Amino acid sequence: MAVHYKDLGLVNTKVMFQKAVAGGFAVPAYNFNNLEQLQAVILGCVESDSPVILQISKGARSYANQTMLRYMAVGAVEMMKEMGGNIPIAVHLDHGDSYELCVDCIHNGFSSVMIDGSHLPYEENIALTRRVVEYAHEFDVSVEGELGVLAGIEEEVSAERSTYTRPQEVVDFTKRTGVDSLAISIGTSHGAFKFKVKPGQAPPPLRFDILEEVERRLPGFPIVLHGASSVVPEYVEMINRYGGHMEGAVGVSEEQLRRAAHSAVCKINIDSDCRLVITAVVRKVLTEKPGEFDPRKYLGPARDELTKLIKYKNEVVLGSAGHGREIMAAINS
Ligand code: G3H
Ligand code: 13P
Ligand code: ZN
């Protein structure tokens, strides 16, 4: 065992989810790949006293180096304390695609892993997920599984598609795998182009009927919503104004996310929104100051804007603000 998450000052997701289910809010899971994104997540979550899940994809891991990421997570915990914060921080593998990757992350200080067997036949998904759960639980690491496939970035989401989670499978899947949380597919997709809609048209509503049926069959069980960026129009407009081309980018409305957070959804995954803010601000600064070449001068303002967005999401959309200290107290009691 190289390093255990508890030695890094991290927590698993167990108490976070218990509190989120009982309190009708969702814990934010923000992806990060670099220093400025991580700083913004910590600043925004400490300033809003929110629990947080720092989410690392396989791609992020190879981009930033696994050892570097481990030290960044330690740095995040120390920075949080130095700021006078006392919020629970989990480090989670996003969309783990193999047993070996999950094991490696567990050995490298992750407190939670997702094993995404959603593309596999049902029985294979169960077998793989069960294997990861057995190993992870030896180290008190949480495991997220997935049932139902999220539509691809370019694919149209329509009610006819058979990629939604089948509520009749959720009890069998959670019982046989022993997962701590379950990601479901109710009409969201990854990326900044979630729905194909004509200008002025509202995107189709999420399948809350499926979510409600899952909740009825699994009362109190933590449900996870992927592909939950709002694709904030203000930042898409800024990108387009300063030389980008993101016409037609659209996400999940805040109103629907609020509704999901009040229900069984206790973890909401956000990556694209964080990417959009950074890109929008960097484009603006470099367009307005073409002679600027100090990365601090464009990454700094991008980080500040992302901090604001994270606070806003915690306070106004997910409802996680104000629950950080309370969860830490419960973990330490
Ligand atoms: O769900 C996918 C996340 O947004 C991570 O994306 O694999 O490009 O890092 P990535
Ligand atoms: P978005 O692309 O909507 O931000 O979703 C991120 C996600 O689900 C990461 O797992
Ligand atoms: Zn995802």
Side-chain angles (χ1 to χ4, degrees):
M1 187 69 186
V3 61
H4 189 263
Y5 72 83
K6 283 182 188 160
D7 298 328
L8 303 181
L10 301 168
V11 303
N12 67 17
T13 57
K14 195 174 178 170
V15 180
M16 288 184 182
F17 289 170
Q18 280 168 358
K19 294 285 179 188
V21 168
F25 64 90
V27 178
Y30 296 113
N31 289 67
F32 79 99
N33 299 267
N34 66 14
L35 174 70
E36 286 77 10
Q37 286 178 313
L38 180 57
Q39 287 174 317
V41 171
I42 295 299
L43 287 164
C45 290
V46 169
E47 285 172 16
S48 56
D49 184 34
S50 170
V52 66
I53 298 170
L54 300 174
Q55 205 152 248
I56 297 169
S57 69
K58 187 179 173 183
R61 210 160 168 259
S62 56
Y63 173 81
N65 178 283
Q66 60 179 51
T67 308
M68 175 64 89
L69 283 173
R70 183 205 301 172
Y71 283 99
M72 283 173 81
V74 179
V77 172
E78 294 306 316
M79 176 176 149
M80 177 271 287
K81 290 184 196 157
E82 198 181 276
M83 289 173 68
N86 189 18
I87 58 165
I89 301 177
V91 169
H92 173 80
L93 170 66
D94 192 24
H95 294 283
D97 60 357
S98 70
Y99 173 79
E100 290 73 21
L101 176 60
C102 292
V103 166
D104 198 41
C105 287
I106 293 164
H107 289 178
N108 274 284
F110 283 55
S111 60
S112 176
V113 293
M114 174 187 191
I115 177 68
D116 183 353
S118 62
H119 291 81
L120 298 172
Y122 183 68
E123 288 298 331
E124 285 177 39
N125 186 1
I126 289 189
L128 175 63
T129 306
R130 174 78 223 157
R131 204 168 155 226
V132 171
V133 168
E134 275 168 8
Y135 192 79
H137 283 182
E138 277 182 44
F139 302 97
D140 211 17
V141 167
S142 311
V143 180
E144 175 183 323
E146 178 161 359
L147 266 182
V149 181
L150 260 68
I153 291 166
E154 298 303 325
E155 282 173 347
E156 198 168 344
V157 179
S158 77
E160 285 77 46
R161 293 188 69 84
S162 57
T163 51
Y164 296 115
T165 301
R166 284 188 284 275
Q168 60 271 28
E169 291 177 350
V170 298
V171 172
D172 183 62
F173 184 85
T174 51
K175 269 203 180 131
R176 286 172 62 198
T177 58
V179 284
D180 304 285
S181 61
L182 180 69
I184 62 167
S185 170
I186 57 167
T188 62
S189 61
H190 291 113
F193 298 85
K194 299 194 188 296
F195 309 101
K196 281 183 183 150
V197 286
K198 299 203 176 85
Q201 238 183 20
L206 299 183
R207 291 289 303 269
F208 280 98
D209 57 321
I210 297 178
L211 176 58
E212 280 159 17
E213 187 54 26
V214 169
E215 189 172 4
R216 196 184 67 74
R217 290 172 186 249
L218 283 178
F221 193 84
I223 300 300
V224 178
L225 190 63
H226 282 247
S229 279
S230 299
V231 188
V232 183
E234 183 190 336
Y235 298 117
V236 175
E237 277 158 29
M238 206 192 285
I239 288 172
N240 290 337
R241 196 174 340 129
Y242 293 102
H245 290 289
M246 294 203 64
E247 285 78 14
V250 59
V252 183
S253 73
E254 290 181 0
E255 191 195 327
Q256 294 195 78
L257 292 173
R258 242 175 250 122
R259 185 173 164 192
H262 275 118
S263 74
V265 170
C266 67
K267 171 174 178 270
I268 286 190
N269 285 11
I270 299 166
D271 186 359
S272 297
D273 277 340
C274 304
R275 297 178 179 195
L276 288 167
V277 176
I278 302 257
T279 303
V281 176
V282 168
R283 277 192 177 280
K284 180 174 190 288
V285 174
L286 292 181
T287 305
E288 288 175 348
K289 298 177 186 163
E292 190 54 73
F293 71 100
D294 179 348
R296 294 173 297 187
K297 297 286 167 48
Y298 49 87
L299 292 177
R303 178 185 61 196
D304 296 346
E305 194 64 29
L306 180 54
T307 305
K308 272 195 246 162
L309 180 75
I310 282 170
K311 269 182 80 174
Y312 173 83
K313 282 190 180 281
N314 296 347
E315 285 165 357
V316 182
V317 186
L318 280 70
S320 61
H323 292 284
R325 283 177 187 276
E326 163 204 327
I327 295 172
M328 275 309 252
I331 290 171
N332 294 326
S333 68

